Amino acid sequence: MMQQTDLSTYNNFPFNPGGSAVKRVLWYYLNALFLKTSLLPSNSFKTFLLRLFGARIGKSVTIKPGVNVKYPWHLTIGNHTWIGENVWIDCLVPITIGNNVCLSQGAILLTGSHNYKKTSFDLITKSIILEDGVWIGAAAMVTPGITAASHAVLTSGSVATKNLEAYAVYQGNPAIKTRSRIIE
C-alpha cells in the first residue's frame, strides 16, 4: 500500500523564524495595517516600519500598496528598488534584493516549500538573492534557493525554478532562457 501524507505528524523543526513570539504577532498586525493595505501610500512610513523590525533597506526604495512581508528581519533591499502592488515577500529565511531591482505587481518571492516525499510534509526553506538590476515581472514567482544574477529578467507569469543568468531574459513555467537582455 502507498504511504499517505499525515499532517498530524508535521513539525517545523529545525525551522526558526527568528524574533520573539511577541515580535512576530506584533509584526503580523502592523504588516496588515500598514503594508498590505491601500490606505497608507507613504513609502517613508513603510520603510521606517520595516527597518524598525530589522529589515535593512537602502535609500529611495518605493513600496506600493498591498505588499506583504513575512519576517522583515530576514529582508535586505538595496537602493532605488521598486516593489509593486500586491507583491508577496515570503522571507522565512534571508532574501537579499539588490540595487535598482523591480518587483512588478503580484510578484512572489517564495523561500519555503514542503517535502512531498515525506509523510510528515516537512518544511523546506532556502534563501533568495536578486542581484542588482533584476526585473521580476508581474505575477511571476521566484522559488526557494534561486539566485537571479545581475540584470536578469523573469517575464510576467513565469516561474523561476533554476538560477537566472546575468543579462538574460527568462519566460515560462518552468522559466527558460529565451534571449539576452541588452540595455541601451
Side-chain angles (χ1 to χ4, degrees):
M1 180 168 159
M2 300 286 286
Q3 285 286 77
Q4 296 181 0
T5 301
D6 181 2
L7 295 179
S8 70
T9 64
Y10 177 74
N11 185 342
N12 272 349
F13 183 81
F15 174 70
N16 180 353
S20 68
V22 171
K23 183 177 183 180
R24 290 192 304 270
V25 168
L26 187 57
W27 175 250
Y28 177 84
Y29 288 106
L30 291 173
N31 183 45
L33 284 171
F34 298 113
L35 264 73
K36 288 171 66 174
T37 183
S38 297
L39 301 176
L40 185 69
S42 170
N43 279 322
S44 58
F45 184 73
K46 291 175 190 177
T47 56
F48 165 78
L49 198 58
L50 286 164
R51 285 179 180 134
L52 183 66
F53 277 81
R56 290 163 302 286
I57 300 178
K59 62 183 180 181
S60 300
V61 171
T62 299
I63 302 173
K64 295 290 190 173
V67 172
N68 186 14
V69 176
K70 186 68 151 213
Y71 299 129
W73 44 91
H74 291 305
L75 181 60
T76 301
I77 302 174
N79 301 321
H80 309 289
T81 289
W82 299 347
I83 301 174
E85 292 87 350
N86 302 312
V87 167
W88 181 19
I89 302 175
D90 184 41
C91 42
L92 298 172
V93 293
I95 291 180
T96 303
I97 300 170
N99 300 313
N100 301 297
V101 170
C102 178
L103 301 176
S104 293
Q105 59 272 27
I108 299 171
L109 304 183
L110 189 62
T111 60
S113 188
H114 294 276
N115 187 343
Y116 64 87
K117 296 178 184 179
K118 299 269 191 175
T119 60
S120 56
F121 208 52
D122 297 346
L123 180 67
I124 300 168
T125 58
K126 294 182 183 174
S127 296
I128 291 174
I129 299 170
L130 305 180
E131 294 181 357
D132 294 348
V134 166
W135 177 19
I136 305 300
M141 180 185 294
V142 178
T143 60
I146 298 300
T147 296
S150 177
H151 294 83
V153 174
L154 182 64
T155 63
S156 297
S158 297
V159 179
T161 59
K162 294 184 179 170
N163 291 339
L164 309 181
E165 296 174 15
Y167 289 91
V169 177
Y170 287 80
Q171 185 172 13
N173 180 8
I176 58 170
K177 182 179 174 182
T178 57
R179 60 192 169 280
S180 294
R181 179 181 186 186
I182 300 167
I183 300 174
E184 297 175 357

